Amino acid sequence: MMPWTEIFNFTPLQGLAGGILLGLGAALLLLSNGRIAGFSGIISNLTNSDRSWRLAFLAGALISGTVLHRVLDLPAADSQLPASGLIIAGLLVGFGTSLGNGCTSGHGICGLSRFSLRSLVAVMVFMVSAMVTVYFMRHM
Amino acid sequence: MMINIVTALISGLLMGAGLVISGMTSPDKVLGFLDITGFWDPTLMLVMGGAILVNLPATWLILKRQQPANAEHFHLPERTTVDKPLVLGTALFGIGWGIAGICPGPAVTSLLSGSADIILFFLAMIAGFRLHKATSLLAR
């Protein structure tokens, strides 16, 4: 028996199309700049001397994200959490990705694509810990 | 190099667009994937699958080159073994991701989408990066 009761809100075509764009973007950065397209590392290393490509990358994501958000008329990405919850979550995501050297993009998309054992372990650990966290928050 | 800034910008544009189109800038949609015991939304699996479908063969071809197109060498992570910081860090990241449904990529991409929640999360995430860098300096 599957653990879930019902498939819900599934948008496979949009997911696949968006995923292909993510893969293309990551491939371009590796081919041209020789860099891993990991958001957490790019943000947390903005204070390094070699910052212009990092700023350009983040500006690109911010520009296309903001424009598409408007064009597609999407609702603001609000959370149902109180401010304290957002602060705790943000601190954990920042501290954790810095300690663990990556997030969903760096480990998930780039690391798995180059068969990194560290990234494979990372993806399994953050998927399980996130799923367990959601289970506690929603069902306990 | 100027070309590196342009390619980083385009890479960011592609990845920001990918995150919005795939629906991954919606915290509720991400949490719908992580909540496997309720009504389950498998979209995130296709996002990651689509990204890897493109990025895996691209990475394989790119890394066969002597050097990137516009840089002297590839900047790949030096560590290859699974260690405690990797596991602890990615576990903490997963908890934060599970609490809010926001990871670093969407935090940047949605920053100007009109949600104060994202801005608060983003600032806490930056504080988390700083906190880790400060503690790792102390530990040295």
Side-chain angles (χ1 to χ4, degrees), chain A residues 72-95:
Chain A
L72 299 174
D73 200 22
L74 297 172
D78 281 327
S79 166
Q80 312 196 2
L81 288 173
S84 56
L86 285 162
I87 291 171
I88 292 168
L91 283 170
L92 284 167
V93 168
F95 190 92

Side-chain angles (χ1 to χ4, degrees), chain A residues 43-44 46 90-91 94, chain B residues 121-132:
Chain A
I43 305 167
S44 66
L46 262 184
L91 283 170
Chain B
F121 177 93
F122 186 83
L123 293 175
M125 183 176 79
I126 301 287
F129 290 144
R130 293 282 171 91
L131 195 64
H132 170 249

Side-chain angles (χ1 to χ4, degrees), chain A residues 4 11 36 51 76-77 103 126 136:
Chain A
W4 57 88
T11 48
I36 301 286
R51 78 172 65 143
C103 57
F126 69 62
F136 273 95

Side-chain angles (χ1 to χ4, degrees), chain A residues 6 8 25 31 34 78-79 98, chain B residues 7 11 13 40 69 75 115 117 132:
Chain A
E6 207 173 307
F8 196 66
L31 173 65
D78 281 327
S79 166
S98 186
Chain B
T7 50
S11 169
L13 286 168
W40 190 49
H75 298 262
S115 164
D117 289 354
H132 170 249

Side-chain angles (χ1 to χ4, degrees), chain A residues 4-9 11 19 25 31-34 44 61-62 64 78-79 90 94 96 98 104 114 118 129-130 138-139, chain B residues 4 7 11-13 17 29 35-36 40-41 43 47 51 69-70 75 77 81 83 89 91 94 103 108 115 117 125 129 132-133:
Chain A
W4 57 88
T5 51
E6 207 173 307
I7 298 291
F8 196 66
N9 282 344
T11 48
L31 173 65
S32 169
N33 299 21
S44 66
L62 190 58
S64 65
D78 281 327
S79 166
S98 186
T104 4
R114 51 185 190 89
R118 276 173 64 85
S129 88
R138 288 192 169 179
H139 304 288
Chain B
N4 274 343
T7 50
S11 169
L13 286 168
K29 193 157 181 67
D35 187 4
I36 51 169
W40 190 49
D41 177 358
T43 306
V47 180
N70 302 305
H75 298 262
T81 52
D83 52 19
C103 56
V108 172
S115 164
D117 289 354
M125 183 176 79
F129 290 144
H132 170 249
K133 297 214 160 143

